[in-house]
Amino acid sequence: MRPSSPLTTELKAMWHQCVLCQEHTILNVCELCESDTDFIQHTLLRQNLCTVNDTVTDNYLEHDAVLNAKFDELWILGVYHYPLTYLIPALKFHGQRHFATLLAQWFVLYRVKYMTDLPQVIIPVPLHWRRFLQRGYNQAELIAQTLSQHLHIPIDKTDRDALVKRRRYTKPQSELNQEQRRQNMQHVFSVNPQAIAQYQHIVIVDDVMTTGGTINDLCRAIYRHAPHIKISVWCIGLRIDIIPAS
C-alpha cells in the first residue's frame, strides 16, 4: 500500500476534527486531548484493583466493586470522569459506535500491557433481547470485538450457544438507588454449564461499573457451574468519587 503523502495527511486533518476539542486532526481524539486524559499516567490503574487493598499503603480503595468483588481481577481504563462521561454515553445512547473502537484501543494500550495472564475467551455483558432491539447493538460487545481483534482472543457467541445469556429484562440501573440496583440484578443471567466448564480463565467486558452488582450476579451464576474458573473483569469506566493518586 502506498504511504500517505504529507499533503494527503494535511487534507484529511482539514476535514476531520477531534471529537473532544474540535481541532483539526486525522485522529478521533487529538494527541493533546489524549495526553490530557487523567487515566494515562494514573499508576494505580496499572494493576488489578482487587489487590490494591491487600498492600500496606495509603491507597485504600473504598468501592463496592472492590470490597464485595465476586471475581478475581478488576481492570479499568479510568474513573468515570471526562472524557469518558462524554464518550461512553455517546456510544451507548447516541449511536456513536466508532467510540467503542477508540475506547478498546486505549484499554489495550494503557492497561493490557501491564497484565501477565490473559484470558482464554472474552464475554461481553449480555443485553436482554428487548433492550438489544431498542438500541440496535450491545455497546459491551462492540468494545469486546475490538479487544478480540487486537489481542487475538476469541469472543463469546451471541446466539443460543452463548456461554452466558441475560434471561430476565431489568430496569436500567441508572434509574435506581443502591438497594433497588441490588434487587434488580438478582438471578438475571443463565449459563451454559458444559461450554463454560472447558475454560480456566475468562474475562467479562463492560462499559461502566457503578456498584458491581451486574458483574457480581453474572459471576455468581458462572461459579455455580464452574467454581474452578478464574474471572477477570475489564471495564472502561468506574464510577467513584475519589481514587488515590498513585
Side-chain angles (χ1 to χ4, degrees):
M1 181 179 295
R2 181 184 299 175
S4 298
S5 68
L7 178 58
T8 301
T9 301
E10 185 176 344
L11 288 173
K12 285 182 178 179
M14 289 174 61
W15 292 102
H16 194 280
Q17 293 177 322
C18 171
V19 299
L20 298 179
C21 70
Q22 283 73 56
E23 289 295 324
H24 294 299
T25 176
I26 61 171
L27 307 171
N28 284 322
V29 174
C30 69
E31 293 180 355
L32 181 59
C33 284
E34 182 170 341
S35 65
D36 281 345
T37 57
D38 59 0
F39 54 77
I40 292 180
Q41 302 300 329
H42 206 306
T43 56
L44 185 68
L45 302 182
R46 298 173 182 172
Q47 61 185 301
N48 167 20
L49 295 186
C50 289
T51 64
V52 169
N53 295 342
D54 295 338
T55 57
V56 184
T57 68
D58 295 330
N59 296 330
Y60 189 76
L61 195 56
E62 191 169 354
H63 191 282
D64 286 345
V66 175
L67 300 178
N68 302 312
K70 306 301 181 187
F71 39 83
D72 300 288
E73 292 189 356
L74 172 62
W75 294 80
I76 68 167
L77 176 63
V79 176
Y80 192 60
H81 295 160
Y82 185 83
L84 299 185
T85 49
Y86 167 70
L87 295 172
I88 293 176
L91 161 65
K92 192 169 184 176
F93 302 116
H94 302 291
Q96 301 298 311
R97 302 188 189 194
H98 57 288
F99 287 170
T101 301
L102 170 66
L103 294 168
Q105 289 174 340
W106 276 348
F107 194 91
V108 171
L109 283 171
Y110 301 120
R111 295 297 170 260
V112 174
K113 69 178 182 179
Y114 296 107
M115 301 178 188
T116 58
D117 181 22
L118 292 180
Q120 298 164 286
V121 65
I122 299 173
I123 302 176
V125 173
L127 281 183
H128 190 270
W129 64 267
R130 284 173 57 187
R131 182 150 294 129
F132 186 89
L133 288 178
Q134 292 168 357
R135 189 173 297 162
Y137 57 91
N138 177 357
Q139 72 281 352
E141 184 180 354
L142 295 180
I143 294 168
Q145 287 171 351
T146 298
L147 292 171
S148 175
Q149 292 167 4
H150 283 283
L151 301 174
H152 306 291
I153 299 173
I155 187 172
D156 185 26
K157 301 175 182 177
T158 56
D159 56 19
R160 62 183 181 180
D161 296 323
L163 296 174
V164 297
K165 295 179 182 178
R166 201 177 196 116
R167 63 185 182 184
R168 183 165 65 83
Y169 186 78
T170 56
K171 296 180 180 179
Q173 291 287 83
S174 59
E175 299 176 3
L176 306 175
N177 62 36
Q178 186 168 351
E179 178 58 24
Q180 290 172 329
R181 287 171 186 260
R182 186 186 65 80
Q183 295 179 0
N184 191 46
M185 294 311 304
Q186 290 182 346
H187 311 299
V188 170
F189 300 100
S190 62
V191 177
N192 184 331
Q194 289 76 30
I196 201 76
Q198 65 181 302
Y199 297 103
Q200 286 74 49
H201 184 191
I202 65 173
V203 63
I204 298 170
V205 170
D206 207 1
D207 54 346
V208 178
M209 178 179 282
T210 301
T211 65
T214 301
I215 300 292
N216 278 341
D217 189 71
L218 177 52
C219 290
R220 279 191 288 263
I222 293 171
Y223 279 135
R224 278 195 291 268
H225 300 283
H228 68 281
I229 210 163
K230 175 181 177 180
I231 302 179
S232 296
V233 175
W234 296 352
C235 275
I236 300 301
L238 177 69
R239 292 182 185 268
I240 187 171
D241 294 330
I242 299 175
I243 194 166
S246 61

